[in-house]
Amino acid sequence: MRDRSLPPTYLPRAPLWRRGGATAIDAVLVGLLSSLLGSSLYLPVFCLFWFLTRVVIPANNRGQSFGRLALDIKLIDERSRRIPTFLTLAQREGIIGLEAFFALNGLSLLGNVDPVALPVSYTHLRAHETVL
């Protein structure tokens, strides 16, 4: 029988949907805060809020950001079995933050498309097709 005082040999991983959901919660939160401060400063403000939300807060809050806290996920380094170092968090979240910025920026551009123009242009293209 295994001694209960020893830590488990593996760390359970949160399912992918929970990790993605936590990232989405943080991205929407940071995106909303960034958009409130104006469009000309969107990228620097987004980077600042992302850094605060995903690096500074988890480093001081037992490895949990707002999204991770909402979905009950704790960030732990597998090797040291502790919260990752500040540098490790900054490197990893810098890449994820850039991806989140581009995803939110792409979603915001969808609002600029005129939904009536899409079927009209498609019909216009179909009218010029010839049948051989």
Side-chain angles (χ1 to χ4, degrees):
M1 189 169 232
R2 199 172 128 244
D3 186 18
R4 298 274 182 203
S5 63
L6 294 175
T9 56
Y10 71 96
L11 295 171
R13 287 185 175 245
L16 184 62
W17 69 268
R18 285 176 65 188
R19 289 183 276 158
T23 303
I25 290 170
D26 288 337
V28 168
L29 178 70
V30 169
L32 287 173
L33 289 174
S34 301
S35 64
L36 291 176
L37 295 179
S39 60
S40 63
L41 297 174
Y42 185 73
L43 179 61
V45 172
F46 184 88
C47 292
L48 176 70
F49 281 142
W50 186 265
F51 185 76
L52 289 173
T53 303
R54 299 286 289 196
V55 178
V56 175
I57 291 175
N60 296 319
N61 192 26
R62 300 180 317 271
Q64 292 183 318
S65 64
F66 297 119
R68 290 183 190 123
L69 188 62
L71 295 178
D72 197 27
I73 299 173
K74 185 174 181 180
L75 188 63
I76 297 177
D77 187 17
E78 285 189 60
R79 293 183 193 146
S80 65
R81 294 184 181 255
R82 295 179 185 207
I83 299 169
T85 62
F86 196 78
L87 180 63
T88 306
L89 276 173
Q91 290 173 344
R92 142 191 188 155
E93 295 302 333
I95 295 169
I96 296 172
L98 189 62
E99 293 170 356
F101 172 75
F102 286 136
L104 288 174
N105 197 20
L107 287 173
S108 70
L109 291 176
L110 286 176
N112 298 335
V113 176
D114 185 16
V116 176
L118 291 176
V120 171
S121 63
Y122 179 72
T123 307
H124 178 70
L125 291 175
R126 298 276 303 181
H128 293 289
E129 291 179 3
T130 57
V131 179
L132 297 174

